[in-house]
Amino acid sequence: PNNKNICMVAAQAALLEKKKQVVVIPTHSIQEGVSVMMAFDPDAELAANEAAMNGARESVVSLSVTYAVRDSIVNGETVKGGEILGLVRGKICCHDTSRDECIRMLCKKIPEASYLTVFRGADVSEEEAEATMAIIRDELGASVEAILVDGGQPLYDFLISAE
């Protein structure tokens, strides 16, 4: 489902299917959904696929970069409308007026990861994305493999999957 609010509905819909076995992998983000899809093996048995896909979901840390639409208080801190927000697993963990600085702060929140997929949003140019990748590589070091994908998603400048 890629959204925690839809997981229950998807599970109920799966129960309605009588001719096929349907298993819902309760993904809560696009990043989890992509990792789960990559783990799917069309030649594997249902139980093996379910185990592999759930393992993939559990190994992903979803990070996002977006912006505040209005002034608010988050974790006791004042966030101004228009500020850049860094989220880990859907929760705001940092904010700044500079996207670059927010990316730096967000990198410090990434647990031990060896692989990052960075999905570039619709409103981010290739040049801006490459500059962001340089910051990520600088912050995380050469031991982390990071790739950039044109995600084209609205609202989120970057969706990052850390595995």
Side-chain angles (χ1 to χ4, degrees), residues 9-76:
V9 174
Q12 289 297 315
L15 293 174
L16 297 175
E17 176 56 51
K18 302 299 181 202
K19 295 180 183 174
K20 296 180 182 183
Q21 288 184 301
V22 177
V23 174
V24 175
I25 307 298
T27 58
H28 296 167
S29 69
I30 297 293
Q31 299 92 310
E32 286 180 2
V34 169
S35 288
V36 164
M37 286 189 308
M38 297 300 291
F40 176 75
D41 179 354
D43 298 322
E45 296 292 324
L46 179 66
N49 260 326
E50 182 178 10
M53 294 168 82
N54 273 314
R57 176 182 55 85
E58 292 167 4
S59 72
V60 173
V61 176
S62 301
L63 303 108
S64 309
V65 177
T66 188
Y67 61 92
V69 294
R70 65 183 183 285
D71 292 356
S72 61
I73 305 288
V74 178
N75 300 326

Side-chain angles (χ1 to χ4, degrees), residues 92-148:
I92 298 170
C93 68
C94 57
H95 63 96
D96 200 272
T97 55
S98 159
R99 183 170 60 202
D100 291 352
E101 188 55 34
C102 194
I103 291 286
R104 284 185 185 89
M105 289 188 284
L106 197 57
C107 283
K108 293 180 184 359
K109 306 290 184 180
I110 295 174
E112 294 297 317
S114 56
Y115 189 78
L116 290 182
T117 305
V118 180
F119 299 91
R120 172 173 68 106
D123 295 330
V124 178
S125 72
E126 284 186 47
E127 294 78 21
E128 290 172 310
E130 287 300 335
T132 296
M133 291 301 288
I135 292 169
I136 290 170
R137 288 182 181 113
D138 184 53
E139 290 292 322
L140 299 180
S143 65
V144 176
E145 183 180 351
I147 64 164
L148 177 64

